[in-house]
């Protein structure tokens, strides 16, 4: 009976086959199917094949293929130091790049300025001569302020303000009478000291306006701002002063001109700060408010 036992006592060293792999008679054995999107499994009994040497020969780095659940083929990476489009290798996705301490990896950062899309990178025109500068303050103030925002105007500003201060003595009725009745030796120091006082007053008020503009987010330089503010202060009050010298400060025409020129000064100060500091007009008007109030109380109210 022992000789009729099937599968026992003989060929015990052979590897038994799994019942699921036994096929009916006359049908060939089919290799198992791989999941969708993956390469098929090799037939049973065949040695495993490695795919990564072929990829290395095709231009890769000789690295094995990682499992990709979506069946996407890996892209060949460029050699070290060469990226897509000629950039650096660290610019590729998945890689990092080291930077030195204090180095800005994004270049010069742009600063936001309220009321302006972008600040001018530099002077937008040549420096204006003093005649063109004075004419531009009256005829085209906006382009003039924008063109001179990077240039100092100390020469015209100090000269015009000093001359305006000397003539301002004759714009006040009592000061004019004292200067006329005084001798030449007494009148000259009064006139000169008044001119110097107006220059100092213009410098202080212009510095205050510039400081307020910077506190509100402006980016202008202090020398053009102070110099141009002195010119605006002197040029806008010149019409009132000319009539006041001959008609007196109590004349109705002089008073009307005083209020009109003060409003014109407010408009020019607003345009100056807006163009020089890249600020919207409400902030520019607020920055020049102290200077306008000081001019009203010191000069205008003395004759109105």
């Amino acid at each position: 009976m022992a000789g009729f036992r099937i599968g026992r006592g003989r060929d015990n060293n052979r590897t038994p086959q799994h019942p699921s792999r036994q096929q009916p008679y006359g049908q060939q054995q089919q290799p198992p199917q791989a999941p969708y999107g993956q390469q098929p499994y090799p037939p049973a009994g065949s040695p495993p094949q490695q795919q990564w040497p072929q990829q290395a020969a095709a231009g890769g780095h000789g690295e094995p293929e990682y499992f990709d659940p979506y069946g996407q083929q890996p892209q060949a990476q460029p050699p070290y130091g060469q990226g897509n489009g000629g950039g650096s290798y660290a610019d590729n996705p998945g890689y990092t790049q080291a930077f030195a301490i204090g180095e800005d990896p994004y270049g010069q950062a742009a600063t936001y300025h309220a009321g302006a899309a972008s600040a001018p990178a530099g002077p937008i025109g040549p420096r204006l001569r003093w005649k063109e500068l004075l004419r531009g303050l009256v005829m085209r103030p906006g382009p003039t302020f924008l063109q001179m925002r990077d240039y100092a105007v100390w020469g015209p500003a100090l000269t015009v303000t000093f001359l305006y201060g000397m003539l301002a003595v004759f714009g006040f009725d009592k000061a004019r009478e004292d200067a006329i009745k005084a001798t030449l030796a007494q009148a000259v120091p009064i006139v000169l000291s008044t001119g110097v006082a107006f220059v100092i007053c213009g410098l202080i008020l212009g510095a205050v306006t510039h400081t307020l503009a910077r506190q509100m987010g402006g980016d202008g330089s202090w020398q053009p701002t102070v110099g141009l503010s002195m010119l605006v202060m002197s040029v806008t009050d010149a019409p009132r002063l000319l009539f006041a010298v001959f008609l007196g400060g109590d004349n109705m025409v002089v008073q009307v001109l005083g209020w009109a020129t003060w409003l014109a000064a407010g408009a020019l100060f607003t345009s100056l700060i807006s163009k020089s500091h890249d600020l919207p007009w409400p902030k520019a008007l607020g920055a020049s408010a102290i200077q306008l109030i000081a001019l009203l109380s010191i000069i205008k109210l003395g004759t109105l």
Side-chain angles (χ1 to χ4, degrees), residues 118-205:
S118 60
I124 63 173
R127 180 193 296 269
L128 299 176
R129 299 177 62 87
W130 67 274
K131 292 182 180 180
E132 299 175 351
L133 178 59
L134 296 179
R135 188 183 304 111
L137 290 178
V138 180
M139 304 301 298
R140 50 185 192 94
T144 301
F145 293 145
L146 188 60
Q147 184 173 352
M148 297 298 293
R149 58 167 289 163
D150 295 316
Y151 297 107
V153 290
W154 291 122
L158 296 176
T159 303
V160 173
T161 305
F162 182 74
L163 295 176
Y164 166 76
M166 290 191 302
L167 294 177
V169 177
F170 303 95
F172 301 94
D173 294 338
K174 187 175 184 305
R176 183 177 66 248
E177 293 178 1
D178 294 340
I180 293 176
K181 293 180 180 179
T183 61
L184 183 62
Q186 296 176 348
V188 171
I190 295 175
V191 174
L192 294 178
S193 60
T194 306
V196 174
F198 270 80
V199 170
I200 296 175
C201 180
L203 290 172
I204 295 175
L205 294 177

Side-chain angles (χ1 to χ4, degrees), residues 58-266:
H61 292 288
E63 298 179 356
E65 180 183 3
Y66 295 97
F67 175 74
D68 189 357
Y70 300 100
Q72 298 178 359
Q73 295 295 332
Q75 299 179 358
Q77 299 293 338
Y80 181 79
Q82 297 181 2
N84 299 330
S88 62
Y89 183 73
D91 294 336
N92 295 329
Y95 296 89
T96 58
Q97 182 177 0
F99 298 94
I101 298 177
E103 180 181 359
D104 187 6
Y106 302 104
Q108 183 69 23
T111 305
Y112 171 75
H113 304 288
S118 60
I124 63 173
R127 180 193 296 269
L128 299 176
R129 299 177 62 87
W130 67 274
K131 292 182 180 180
E132 299 175 351
L133 178 59
L134 296 179
R135 188 183 304 111
L137 290 178
V138 180
M139 304 301 298
R140 50 185 192 94
T144 301
F145 293 145
L146 188 60
Q147 184 173 352
M148 297 298 293
R149 58 167 289 163
D150 295 316
Y151 297 107
V153 290
W154 291 122
L158 296 176
T159 303
V160 173
T161 305
F162 182 74
L163 295 176
Y164 166 76
M166 290 191 302
L167 294 177
V169 177
F170 303 95
F172 301 94
D173 294 338
K174 187 175 184 305
R176 183 177 66 248
E177 293 178 1
D178 294 340
I180 293 176
K181 293 180 180 179
T183 61
L184 183 62
Q186 296 176 348
V188 171
I190 295 175
V191 174
L192 294 178
S193 60
T194 306
V196 174
F198 270 80
V199 170
I200 296 175
C201 180
L203 290 172
I204 295 175
L205 294 177
V208 171
T209 301
H210 169 74
T211 302
L212 291 177
R214 294 301 294 265
Q215 292 295 328
M216 294 181 180
D219 61 349
S221 303
W222 73 275
Q223 297 187 46
T225 303
V226 175
L228 291 173
S229 66
M230 295 173 65
L231 287 176
V232 170
M233 179 188 70
S234 304
V235 171
T236 53
D237 196 51
R240 182 203 64 83
L241 182 59
L242 292 177
F243 282 88
V245 169
F246 299 100
L247 301 178
D250 296 335
N251 188 274
M252 183 61 65
V253 177
V254 176
Q255 294 182 2
V256 172
L257 283 176
W259 286 108
T261 54
W262 183 75
L263 294 177

